[in-house]
Amino acid sequence: MRTLLLALTTALGLLGAPAWRQDDRNAAQQPVQPAPATARSSAVGNARKWWKEAVVYQIYPRSFKDSNGDGVGDLKGITSKLDYLKSLGIDVIWLNPVFSSPNDDNGYDISDYQGIMKEFGTMQDFDELLKGMHDRGLKLILDLVVNHSSDEHEWFKQSRSSRDNSYRDYYHWWPAEKGKPAARRSFFDVDGDGWELDKATNSYYLHYFSRKQPDLNWESPRLRNEVFSMMRFWLDKGVDGFRMDVIPFISKDTTFPEMPAQYNGDWGRFYANGPHVHEYLREMNAAVLSKYDVMSVAEGVGVTTADALQYVDADRRELDMLYHFEGVSLGYLPGSLKVPDPKGFSLIEFKNIYSKWDGVFADKGWGTIYLGNHDQPRMTTRWGNDAPQWRELSSKMLTTFLLTMRATPYYYAGDELCMTNIKFDRIEDYRDIESVNWYQQVKNKGGDLQAFLAAQKIAARDNGRTPFQWDRTANAGFTSGKPWLKVNPNYTTVNVAVDDVNATGCLNYFRKLTQLRKSNPVLIYGKYVLLDKDNPDVYAYTRELDGRKILVLLNFRDKAASVDTGLDMSKGKILVGNYPAPSGDAKLRPYEARIYEF
Ligand code: ISL
Ligand code: CA
């Protein structure tokens, strides 16, 4: 198996390294930035904000709840579940794109930024959803996807129609008579080429993602103003902020030089470093964000600890938060199409990454923490253990981590049920353009398709996109029709109906943890200190604020493990544990999580 995977990595390496894979390698070379002791021991390094105190819950609308039997989740479906959402103790809901789209990339290819996707409903449905959330004290953030649009957007239709169309400069064009421009990598294209020749005007257009996702040209002031007024449209409706898709990529050097050697094949890092990205974000802040009490969070692809504060230092007036890729990239073989390292991941590296990122925001900016989202496999499978005897324990242990770090948690729908990867055997079961096109790439290159499919069982994005599991009726109660993506067969036992009435189940564990965080500011703002850092099995840390001290112990292994906290454990009082009977034993049981007050 191991040789198979290594062979696959080598074969796939020829196709070019996916950018996100190499971020951590580069970042690992950055020095850890220890926080000055004074700032770290103060109550709050910078101002209190509602979004620092929030738990964000992410919903992939296509997979949450179908209201009309067409097999696709929709806005009315979400509205029908608002009481459930409120019961979780979350504060903010992030919805993946809900805008008009031909769905080449499930809504990340937008054809009308101010229209609602047909499959998801109408603007009236949207308004009702927003009102229903606000009535319950929940906030809503939308996905801002403005690095690219759909090729079916009216702007692109105009832009491609002639070289002198007034929308021509909304996109990046390269006249073919100048020859082929320097290579740019497309993450989703079958051949990996980020330039597509468009016959109508004999010019290439740029697409970092699929051919149906042409990159917008932020050099155009008119385009920028269109984006800003579109943002105002949604904010004036009352939405509470944006998650910004690949926002570090929006600025390009429009001379399109060869990729400088310093990036060493790392496209994500190169794309994230456009010459005007911070100018554009400051302009967006001044024109839009600063006028509203809203939150903004960048999808920080290609952003390292060295440049994170340039995006989120409040004094710079750009964005509030970003989420990095260093953590979720761990454990894949470098330069591979997300091939899991047969050795697994090193917990010591895991701890170093999250500790290093905590240090970045010690006295400026603010962090985020996540282990799952719509681009990731299920956290239980990837970071815990989805074998039946460990599924719940390991997943609750990970939930404990997410809810006790000094960063805003971004929690992915379904993780509160300890959902797991579906692990498709056949490419025909996948719907995600990434998996489908990568498969074709491997096939075209004569690569090892079985090894590719084996790797996808762990890493594919569709693992995190299977329908939400409501109950044990057909299709987990997600739809009365045929679901757009198969339901995980474990839905008969893993579902809300079962878990809701189980005091010691996953769901009520998550509820307990959101309450614990909310009622203990030390878990939000308290100083984070890593303990027993060389322990290969246990993640241990304290959080401290105003004389209160909390200790968190997390055993990441399927066997008992000991930990040396250096604290007098007899003084600690257990607040929460993931075993039915938390014990104060020196040894942690498999996947045990304990939270103590000292
Ligand atoms: O999903 C990834 C790895 O499998 C990432 O490389 C991902 O493509 C990248 O993080 C950008 O993600 C965002 O933009 C994409 C979209 O497909 C993702 O769903 C979105 O989160 C293009 O809009
Ligand atoms: Ca539907």
Side-chain angles (χ1 to χ4, degrees):
M1 181 63 175
R2 176 149 188 209
T3 15
L4 206 72
L5 288 174
L6 287 174
L8 175 69
T9 322
T10 321
L12 297 177
L14 300 172
L15 303 169
W20 58 90
R21 279 301 319 120
Q22 299 190 345
D23 291 347
D24 60 338
R25 196 183 55 196
N26 274 22
Q29 291 159 5
Q30 308 294 343
V32 177
Q33 305 175 6
T38 46
R40 303 214 59 185
S41 55
S42 75
V44 185
N46 50 18
R48 285 183 66 166
K49 296 279 182 195
W50 61 264
W51 42 264
K52 297 180 182 174
E53 300 176 11
V55 175
V56 180
Y57 180 86
Q58 182 195 349
I59 291 180
Y60 198 63
R62 177 167 290 272
S63 301
F64 194 62
K65 174 68 186 166
D66 174 23
S67 71
N68 63 350
D70 67 354
V72 175
D74 46 49
L75 299 180
K76 272 190 185 326
I78 301 172
T79 303
S80 73
K81 296 295 185 184
L82 285 176
D83 290 335
Y84 170 74
L85 293 167
K86 181 66 187 173
S87 82
L88 297 175
I90 55 158
D91 307 281
V92 175
I93 291 172
W94 154 29
L95 291 186
N96 290 96
V98 296
F99 317 101
S100 304
S101 167
N103 284 310
D104 191 49
D105 183 21
N106 288 358
Y108 281 96
D109 47 321
I110 297 171
S111 53
D112 177 2
Y113 287 95
Q114 289 172 215
I116 297 293
M117 191 193 294
K118 275 195 318 292
E119 295 87 335
F120 287 179
T122 63
M123 192 60 86
Q124 194 189 333
D125 296 338
F126 178 84
D127 293 339
E128 280 169 19
L129 173 59
L130 181 60
K131 178 166 187 315
M133 286 190 187
H134 284 169
D135 285 349
R136 289 168 179 79
L138 298 170
K139 292 183 189 281
L140 173 63
I141 66 169
L142 294 179
D143 217 309
L144 185 77
V145 189
V146 289
N147 173 69
H148 44 269
S149 73
S150 163
D151 66 338
E152 297 182 34
H153 195 292
E154 185 58 28
W155 297 338
F156 192 71
K157 290 185 189 165
Q158 293 287 335
S159 187
R160 83 194 313 181
S161 67
S162 78
R163 286 190 181 186
D164 53 15
N165 184 280
S166 67
Y167 288 87
R168 188 66 169 178
D169 72 345
Y170 273 38
Y171 296 87
H172 295 283
W173 292 101
W174 184 274
E177 64 272 16
K178 281 171 64 182
K180 189 134 196 222
R184 288 295 179 270
R185 182 183 154 74
S186 159
F187 296 114
F188 293 162
D189 208 276
V190 173
D191 60 18
D193 186 350
W195 290 107
E196 176 74 6
L197 182 61
D198 201 40
K199 295 244 170 56
T201 58
N202 191 38
S203 306
Y204 294 94
Y205 67 83
L206 182 69
H207 62 95
Y208 285 175
F209 295 91
S210 90
R211 288 172 207 185
K212 288 184 66 61
Q213 294 169 295
D215 282 47
L216 288 162
N217 176 16
W218 278 68
E219 299 274 301
S220 158
R222 211 175 121 211
L223 178 272
R224 296 203 297 277
N225 284 329
E226 297 246 30
V227 170
F228 299 157
S229 67
M230 175 270 282
M231 291 171 73
R232 279 186 219 106
F233 168 84
W234 291 105
L235 294 174
D236 289 341
K237 269 186 178 289
V239 311
D240 302 287
F242 293 104
R243 173 268 186 186
M244 302 190 180
D245 193 59
V246 289
I247 200 78
F249 289 5
I250 57 177
S251 169
K252 281 92 178 166
D253 176 344
T254 53
T255 65
F256 294 108
E258 294 292 339
M259 181 204 240
Q262 73 195 82
Y263 292 102
N264 190 24
D266 183 349
W267 288 101
R269 182 96 182 100
F270 174 51
Y271 287 168
N273 272 344
H276 305 296
V277 64
H278 295 292
E279 256 166 67
Y280 296 155
L281 292 176
R282 277 197 290 275
E283 195 179 314
M284 178 193 281
N285 186 298
V288 186
L289 297 173
S290 62
K291 315 267 194 243
Y292 302 82
D293 179 20
V294 294
M295 60 168 271
S296 55
V297 55
E299 186 198 19
V301 194
V303 179
T304 67
T305 50
D307 36 38
L309 280 179
Q310 291 181 43
Y311 288 87
V312 299
D313 173 354
D315 295 338
R316 289 173 55 87
R317 297 180 195 285
E318 295 188 20
L319 303 176
D320 295 324
M321 294 173 269
L322 65 82
Y323 65 87
H324 66 80
F325 279 65
E326 224 186 311
V328 294
S329 303
L330 189 69
Y332 291 144
L333 294 171
S336 72
L337 296 183
K338 297 196 285 193
V339 175
D341 187 331
K343 294 196 300 290
F345 70 93
S346 146
L347 182 67
I348 292 175
E349 279 182 56
F350 185 95
K351 297 193 280 189
N352 284 343
I353 290 172
Y354 290 102
S355 302
K356 178 177 69 172
W357 276 92
D358 176 82
V360 171
F361 305 117
D363 54 358
K364 277 172 172 228
W366 185 253
T368 65
I369 192 104
Y370 74 104
L371 290 173
N373 65 35
H374 68 294
D375 290 334
Q376 299 295 327
R378 282 285 164 191
M379 73 171 184
T380 306
T381 300
R382 173 87 156 89
W383 303 105
N385 188 332
D386 61 11
Q389 73 271 39
W390 305 128
R391 179 182 65 86
E392 293 201 25
L393 282 168
S394 68
S395 192
K396 289 173 183 167
M397 183 275 290
L398 298 170
T399 290
T400 315
F401 169 62
L402 293 171
L403 275 286
T404 57
M405 288 291 281
R406 197 180 66 94
T408 297
Y410 285 70
Y411 199 82
Y412 187 52
D415 286 341
E416 76 274 31
L417 306 176
C418 306
M419 281 176 66
T420 59
N421 278 13
I422 191 163
K423 303 185 183 173
F424 290 132
D425 289 318
R426 310 172 324 136
I427 191 65
E428 291 76 19
D429 285 330
Y430 285 99
R431 295 291 169 267
D432 180 14
I433 183 173
E434 179 178 270
S435 297
V436 171
N437 283 1
W438 280 3
Y439 180 88
Q440 196 57 45
Q441 259 189 43
V442 175
K443 192 170 177 187
N444 293 349
K445 304 259 172 184
D448 185 338
L449 292 169
Q450 285 318 310
F452 174 77
L453 288 173
Q456 288 282 288
K457 286 186 183 189
I458 301 303
R461 305 196 297 182
D462 276 344
N463 286 301
R465 299 177 178 183
T466 61
F468 193 87
Q469 296 167 198
W470 293 102
D471 55 41
R472 52 169 308 141
T473 65
N475 297 313
F478 162 71
T479 180
S480 57
K482 183 173 185 287
W484 71 277
L485 181 68
K486 283 188 177 164
V487 175
N488 193 314
N490 68 13
Y491 77 89
T492 52
T493 51
V494 179
N495 62 58
V496 171
V498 166
D499 234 12
D500 196 36
V501 292
N502 178 0
T504 62
C506 296
L507 182 49
N508 286 310
Y509 190 78
F510 177 62
R511 288 172 172 149
K512 196 190 290 180
L513 272 272
T514 56
Q515 284 319 314
L516 187 77
R517 187 173 176 88
K518 197 152 303 177
S519 45
N520 289 284
V522 56
L523 287 176
I524 298 165
Y525 293 112
K527 171 176 77 155
Y528 159 93
V529 178
L530 176 65
L531 306 178
D532 203 7
K533 70 179 172 48
D534 296 322
N535 188 323
D537 306 316
V538 176
Y539 196 161
Y541 48 93
T542 51
R543 305 291 314 281
E544 273 181 78
L545 183 73
D546 297 339
R548 285 197 64 196
K549 184 177 196 155
I550 301 275
L551 168 71
V552 181
L553 301 180
L554 308 167
N555 179 4
F556 272 70
R557 303 292 170 214
D558 63 1
K559 56 182 179 2
S562 45
V563 56
D564 178 7
T565 61
L567 295 167
D568 177 359
M569 294 300 288
S570 67
K571 300 233 161 72
K573 171 178 155 241
I574 296 187
L575 299 180
V576 174
N578 64 345
Y579 272 77
S583 86
D585 291 355
K587 277 210 159 189
L588 294 166
R589 289 167 281 185
Y591 296 110
E592 185 162 24
R594 289 185 208 154
I595 305 177
Y596 291 83
E597 165 111 45
F598 268 82

